[in-house]
C-alpha cells in the first residue's frame, strides 16, 4: 500500500474524524512481517539522514501529535533508532514555563528548530496551543494575552487567527528549507481504555499512568472536535497532515517509517560532490601520509 498517499490529508476536502480508520485495512500484515518492513525502513532512513546531514540544506521536523496514550513516546525509539544522534534530537512540549509564557506561543517552537542537515522530533508541538486551550479555554486567562479577559474571549476568532498564523509560519519555514512532517496518531476510544488498563495492570507500566489522563478522557468528544477543526484548518498541499491509524502501535510505526522514508527521499539529499581539483588534493595528501609512514 502507498501509505504516503493513502493517509495524506491536504485540506482539499472536509475531514471528519469519525470516518477515518483507526486500523489498517485487511489483510493486515503479521507482526513478523511488520517488524521486517520496519527494520528495512530504518536502514533506509539512516542512509537518507546521513545524506541530509552531509548536504546541510534542509532541516526536518518530525511532528508527532495525538491524544494521551496514542503511542507518541514509543514511536520515537522504534522508528528513529537507526538515526545518528549527532544529527537527531527530541523535544517534548509540555505545559509552558513562565519564561515561555513571557513570549509569543510560537517562540518555544522557533527556539527548538533543527539546524540545517539535522532532524528534530517534536513530541507534541505548536498544535497544543489550539487543542488543550480549545477544550479548556480558562488556561489562556493567565497568559496575559491582549483582549483575553474572560472565557468568552477565547472564541472561534482567536483560534481561527492561530490556525492562520501556524499555517503561514510553516509556509515561511518551507521557504527557508525547514520541512515539517506532521503525524496525527489516530486511535479509538476503546483502544485508549485498553492502554490505560494495561498501565494499571502491568507493574512495569505503572509509572506511565496518570490520574490526570483519566480526567482528560472525559473530554474525549471535545478533543475529537478540537483535533478535527485543527486538522481542517492547518492541512495544506505543501504541509499536509498524515492521519495514521494507530489502534495497533506496530502498524502505526510501520506506516510512519514508510512515509518518512518517502518524504526524505523526495528531498533528494546527496553527499557533496568532490571536484577533480579536490580529488587531486586528497590523493596528494594520501601520498604524503604513505611516504611519511615509510620514512
Amino acid at each position: 500500500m502507498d501509505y504516503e498517499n493513502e493517509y495524506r490529508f491536504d485540506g482539499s476536502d472536509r475531514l471528519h474524524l469519525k470516518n477515518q480508520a483507526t486500523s489498517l485495512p485487511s489483510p493486515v500484515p503479521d507482526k513478523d512481517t511488520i517488524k521486517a518492513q520496519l527494520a528495512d525502513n530504518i536502514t533506509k532512513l539512516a542512509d537518507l539522514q546521513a545524506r541530509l546531514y552531509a548536504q546541510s540544506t534542509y532541516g526536518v521536523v518530525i511532528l508527532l501529535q495525538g491524544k494521551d496514550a496514542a503511542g507518541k513516546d514509543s514511536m520515537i525509539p522504534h522508528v528513529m533508532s537507526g538515526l545518528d544522534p549527532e544529527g537527531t534530537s527530541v523535544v517534548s512540549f509540555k505545559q509552558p514555563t513562565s519564561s515561555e509564557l513571557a513570549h509569543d506561543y510560537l517562540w518555544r517552537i522557533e527556539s527548538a528548530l533543527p539546524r540545517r542537515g539535522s532532524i528534530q522530533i517534536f513530541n507534541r508541538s505548536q498544535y497544543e496551543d489550539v487543542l488543550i486551550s480549545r477544550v479548556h479555554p480558562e488556561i489562556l486567562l493567565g497568559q496575559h494575552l491582549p483582549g483575553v479577559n474572560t472565557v468568552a474571549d477565547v472564541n472561534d476568532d482567536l483560534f481561527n487567527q492561530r490556525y492562520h498564523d501556524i499555517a503561514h509560519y510553516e509556509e515561511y519555514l518551507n521557504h527557508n528549507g525547514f520541512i515539517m512532517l506532521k503525524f496525527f496518531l489516530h486511535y479509538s476510544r476503546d483502544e485508549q481504555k485498553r492502554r490505560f488498563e494495561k498501565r494499571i495492570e502491568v507493574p512495569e507500566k505503572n509509572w506511565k499512568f496518570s490520574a490526570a489522563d483519566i480526567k482528560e478522557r472525559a473530554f474525549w468528544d471535545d478533543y475529537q472536535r478540537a483535533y478535527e477543526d485543527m486538522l481542517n484548518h492547518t492541512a495544506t498541499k505543501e504541509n499536509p497532515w498524515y492521519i495514521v491509524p494507530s489502534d495497533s502501535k506496530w502498524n502505526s510505526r510501520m506506516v510512519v517509517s514508510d512515509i518518512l522514508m518517502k518524504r526524505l527521499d523526495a528531498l533528494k539529499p546527496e553527499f557533496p560532490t568532490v571536484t577533480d581539483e579536490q580529488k587531486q588534493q586528497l590523493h596528494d595528501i594520501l601520498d604524503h601520509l604513505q611516504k611519511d609512514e615509510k620514512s
Side-chain angles (χ1 to χ4, degrees):
M1 180 183 290
D2 182 359
Y3 297 124
E4 199 276 327
N5 281 309
E6 181 69 22
Y7 298 120
R8 171 193 285 252
F9 172 63
D10 64 9
S12 55
D13 297 310
R14 176 74 187 180
L15 173 81
H16 298 282
L17 277 180
K18 66 180 181 180
N19 297 332
Q20 296 298 120
T22 59
S23 300
L24 293 186
S26 298
V28 178
D30 60 65
K31 193 170 182 179
D32 287 340
T33 300
I34 290 172
K35 285 186 174 183
Q37 182 62 56
L38 182 57
D40 185 55
N41 289 348
I42 289 172
T43 299
K44 292 174 180 176
L45 281 172
D47 176 66
L48 287 165
Q49 185 210 13
R51 296 170 184 272
L52 186 83
Y53 186 82
Q55 187 183 57
S56 196
T57 299
Y58 295 102
V60 175
V61 174
I62 299 171
L63 188 155
L64 302 175
Q65 198 71 46
K67 293 187 284 294
D68 296 323
K72 299 181 295 297
D73 292 344
S74 61
M75 177 73 68
I76 295 169
H78 280 94
V79 175
M80 320 303 173
S81 60
L83 302 183
D84 187 342
E86 187 174 357
T88 314
S89 55
V90 181
V91 61
S92 296
F93 293 100
K94 301 184 183 297
Q95 183 176 341
T97 65
S98 57
S99 175
E100 289 168 344
L101 289 175
H103 298 80
D104 64 278
Y105 73 96
L106 288 176
W107 177 80
R108 64 176 182 166
I109 304 300
E110 180 73 18
S111 302
L113 289 177
R115 299 179 63 178
R116 295 187 190 279
S118 295
I119 295 174
Q120 182 74 286
I121 301 161
F122 281 7
N123 187 342
R124 300 185 187 270
S125 65
Q126 63 269 27
Y127 288 99
E128 292 294 286
D129 292 287
V130 291
L131 291 169
I132 294 179
S133 54
R134 197 77 197 256
V135 176
H136 301 291
E138 66 277 3
I139 69 174
L140 292 185
L141 299 183
Q143 296 188 12
H144 307 291
L145 297 174
V148 178
N149 302 305
T150 68
V151 169
D153 297 321
V154 185
N155 52 30
D156 288 345
D157 289 342
L158 184 150
F159 289 107
N160 286 337
Q161 183 62 63
R162 287 195 168 188
Y163 298 143
H164 174 86
D165 291 341
I166 291 173
H168 279 271
Y169 176 65
E170 291 174 0
E171 183 180 17
Y172 158 79
L173 291 178
N174 275 1
H175 294 164
N176 286 275
F178 293 88
I179 314 300
M180 282 204 174
L181 306 180
K182 305 185 292 187
F183 297 91
F184 170 51
L185 305 186
H186 180 43
Y187 74 140
S188 65
R189 196 169 192 271
D190 286 344
E191 179 59 22
Q192 186 190 60
K193 175 176 178 288
R194 190 191 70 78
R195 292 180 188 178
F196 281 166
E197 289 172 342
K198 194 170 182 179
R199 288 181 178 184
I200 296 172
E201 295 168 352
V202 179
E204 293 78 10
K205 294 182 179 290
N206 287 170
W207 66 274
K208 288 186 175 183
F209 181 77
S210 169
D213 292 342
I214 297 300
K215 290 181 180 179
E216 288 302 287
R217 179 174 162 80
F219 297 96
W220 176 274
D221 290 339
D222 295 322
Y223 275 108
Q224 286 288 88
R225 285 189 290 271
Y227 268 102
E228 184 172 298
D229 206 20
M230 175 271 286
L231 292 165
N232 278 297
H233 279 87
T234 61
T236 65
K237 285 182 168 56
E238 295 74 22
N239 292 294
W241 276 95
Y242 294 96
I243 317 297
V244 180
S246 299
D247 274 357
S248 163
K249 289 185 179 181
W250 282 107
N251 289 352
S252 66
R253 293 162 188 165
M254 178 182 65
V255 170
V256 169
S257 68
D258 194 72
I259 294 171
L260 284 176
M261 183 182 61
K262 290 180 179 175
R263 286 297 305 272
L264 291 182
D265 186 58
L267 296 177
K268 300 188 182 305
E270 293 294 344
F271 291 111
T273 301
V274 179
T275 65
D276 290 340
E277 181 181 356
Q278 290 170 325
K279 288 180 182 178
Q280 185 58 53
Q281 289 176 345
L282 291 173
H283 284 303
D284 291 344
I285 293 171
L286 180 60
D287 287 342
H288 176 77
L289 288 171
Q290 291 174 341
K291 289 177 183 177
D292 183 63
E293 182 179 334
K294 294 177 181 178
S295 62

